[in-house]
Amino acid sequence: MTHHRPVDGQVYPRFEGIRTFMRLPHLAEAERLAEADLVVVGVPFDSAGTYRVGARFGPSGIRHESMLLRPYHPELAVDVHEVLSLADAGDLPVTPGYLVESHAQIREGAARVLAAGVTPLFLGGDHSVSLPLLRAVAERHGPVALLHVDAHCDLWDGYYGGKDTHGTPFRRALEEGLIDPARSVQVGLRGPVYGPEDVSLPHHLGLEAISADVLHRRGVAATLERILARIGGPGPRYLSFDIDALDPAYAPGTGTPEVGGLTTVQALQLLRGLAGLDFVGFDLVEVMPPYDVGALTQLLAANVAYEMIALVAVAKRRAA
Ligand code: MN
Ligand code: MN
C-alpha cells in the first residue's frame, strides 16, 4: 500500500509548494482514500454562525499555517509520518447560505471518507458542521462518547426560532441518539449566560461539564482524570474542538470569543493527556482568518490538528 507523507522539508523549503495540510499529498479520489490511515478534510461552511462569520476560510488558513509542522512529536515520542500514511482529501462541497442542503452534502461527504475505513480530521467551518459529521460517524460506528472542548456548551434548543445553528449541534445530536451523554464531557465552558439554568443545562441533559474556571483552579491533570473517567471506557470516541476554548489572547480569530479561556499550554497538555485513547474522528471548528491577528489562531489550530494526528499515531502504534 502507498504510504503517503509530505515532500521532504530538507529538500524543499517548508514554504514551497501548493498548500495542503502539512504539505501532504492531495488525495481527492474517493477510491484512493483507503491508502491513508488518516485524512484531513476541510468543511468550509459558515452560514450557521449567530455572531461573526468567516469560518469558511478556516480550512485554507489552517493549511497555510501548517507548513511548519515537522514529523516528530517530542513529548509523545512519535514520528507521525513513520506510523501513519497521511493525506489531505481537500474540502467537502457545500452550498453557502443553504444550511439543510449543506448539511446533507457534509454528511454524504463524511460518509464517503468513513466508508474507506480512514480516520477523518475535519477542519471547519462553524460548529454546526459537527451535527452532519456526527450523523455520518454514528451511522458507521453507533453512538459515540463525545469529548467536546469549547467555551460554549452548544446544547441550546434554538436561536431566533431556528433549530440548527452553531450553538445547537449537540442538542440535536443528543435528540438523534448520535452521542451517548453518559460517556460525554464538555471542557472549557465559560462566559456570561442568560441564567443559572444555562449553567446546569449540560448536567440536565446527562453530560458532564468542566468549566474553564474549574480547570484553572484544579489544573489540567485533575481535569484529565475526570475526562478519562468519562470517555475512557470501551466504545467509539469522537473529539470536537472549538478553537474558542482557548482564550482570545491566544485565539482571537474566532466567532464568539470569551475571555478567561485555556492557554495554549493547557490545551496542548490536555490533548497529550489523551494519548493511548483511540478516536473514530475529530473536528476542529470556528477558526476565522478574517478576524485573526498575525495568523495566531490559524497557527494554533494547525498545531491542535497536529496533536490530534499524534494521538492517532500513538493509538496505532499501541495496537500494533
Ligand atoms: Mn462551539
Ligand atoms: Mn464556542
Side-chain angles (χ1 to χ4, degrees):
M1 193 174 103
T2 317
H3 187 108
H4 294 287
R5 56 171 77 224
V7 289
D8 190 344
Q10 303 289 338
V11 177
Y12 300 96
R14 309 196 73 80
F15 52 83
E16 285 193 12
I18 308 292
R19 204 57 59 219
T20 58
F21 190 82
M22 263 186 115
R23 310 155 76 246
L24 288 161
H26 181 202
L27 213 62
E29 310 91 326
E31 60 275 11
R32 293 190 58 200
L33 288 174
E35 294 171 10
D37 297 297
L38 180 149
V39 290
V40 174
V41 188
V43 190
F45 178 75
D46 67 359
S47 301
T50 57
Y51 191 53
R52 297 170 176 171
V53 292
R56 69 183 61 181
F57 299 110
S60 59
I62 297 168
R63 284 188 178 105
H64 193 269
E65 293 308 314
S66 72
M67 67 174 95
L68 195 56
L69 294 168
R70 300 179 196 90
Y72 189 70
H73 190 306
E75 285 74 24
L76 296 180
V78 68
D79 182 324
V80 298
H81 299 304
E82 210 51 57
V83 178
L84 300 173
S85 171
L86 296 169
D88 188 325
D91 293 340
L92 300 183
V94 298
T95 309
Y98 292 83
L99 183 136
V100 174
E101 292 81 351
S102 295
H103 277 194
Q105 289 172 295
I106 293 166
R107 177 188 189 161
E108 211 172 287
R112 224 174 9 249
V113 173
L114 289 159
V118 54
T119 304
L121 195 175
F122 298 104
L123 306 177
D126 67 43
H127 220 155
S128 81
V129 305
S130 291
L131 179 59
L133 295 176
L134 282 168
R135 283 175 179 146
V137 166
E139 193 173 44
R140 182 169 175 91
H141 296 285
V144 294
L146 175 72
L147 171 56
H148 172 208
V149 187
D150 200 325
H152 313 95
C153 71
D154 295 350
L155 288 167
W156 312 115
D157 191 35
Y159 281 86
Y160 319 115
K163 290 283 198 181
D164 275 317
T165 72
H166 71 155
T168 59
F170 302 113
R171 182 66 162 265
R172 300 288 94 78
L174 278 175
E175 290 167 355
E176 295 179 25
L178 311 177
I179 57 181
D180 176 1
R183 294 195 301 129
S184 296
V185 54
Q186 304 183 303
V187 187
L189 311 186
R190 65 187 186 275
V193 286
Y194 293 99
E197 62 282 358
D198 288 352
V199 177
S200 53
L201 182 61
H203 182 74
H204 179 72
L205 294 170
L207 294 90
E208 177 158 13
I210 306 169
S211 69
D213 184 57
V214 165
L215 186 151
H216 290 312
R217 282 188 286 113
R218 299 197 189 152
V220 173
T223 302
L224 272 166
E225 270 178 42
R226 283 176 67 183
I227 292 172
L228 295 175
R230 196 77 175 184
I231 67 162
R237 258 178 299 275
Y238 186 86
L239 170 53
S240 184
F241 197 108
D242 184 329
I243 203 70
D244 72 25
L246 277 286
D247 193 90
Y250 302 92
T254 194
T256 37
E258 307 283 355
V259 302
L262 275 64
T263 66
T264 297
V265 172
Q266 286 173 325
L268 294 179
Q269 288 178 347
L270 196 76
L271 289 163
R272 291 168 189 169
L274 303 170
L277 292 183
D278 54 333
F279 289 85
V280 295
F282 304 84
D283 66 51
L284 171 57
V285 298
E286 299 284 349
V287 176
M288 288 185 195
Y291 287 94
D292 208 359
V293 178
L296 282 176
T297 316
Q298 297 157 81
L299 176 65
L300 170 68
N303 279 272
V304 168
Y306 179 71
E307 295 295 329
M308 291 168 169
I309 292 170
L311 290 178
V312 176
V314 170
K316 190 189 173 194
R317 198 174 53 184
R318 285 202 186 174

